[in-house]
Amino acid sequence: HVQLVESGGKTVQTGGSLRLSCQASGYHHSAYCLAWFRQAPGKAREGVAGIGTNGVAAAADSVKGRFTISVDNTDNTLYLQMNDLRPEDTAMYRCAAVRACPTVSLQPNMYYYWGHGTQVTVSS
């Protein structure tokens, strides 16, 4: 049974940093493409950053240079390091996984397994 559990979200001030974690069980990260998505109230779900099974990563233009996705295969945890946070980064952040994807993707319909999310709020 595959399960993804996010943690690390909280309220921070503009310019602050956070690291989100996504702990997986029921499979090993190394065989799956992984990604972070976010959704703010009244807005569509947005792909933030993703990483493929070959380690190639991709990030949305809105977070390039500020957010970094990484995987620790020793403890099966996906991370999202977020620096220079802005009020527009406020959203529910969810991790997602899919087995054997052809390439890293930030399209939500490419992913099969989802966590319940962790809330990030950036105050101005």
Side-chain angles (χ1 to χ4, degrees), residues 37-62:
F37 292 85
R38 66 185 181 186
Q39 189 166 18
K43 294 188 177 180
R45 187 177 301 178
E46 175 189 19
V48 175
I51 188 165
T53 54
N54 58 1
V56 174
D61 289 342
S62 58

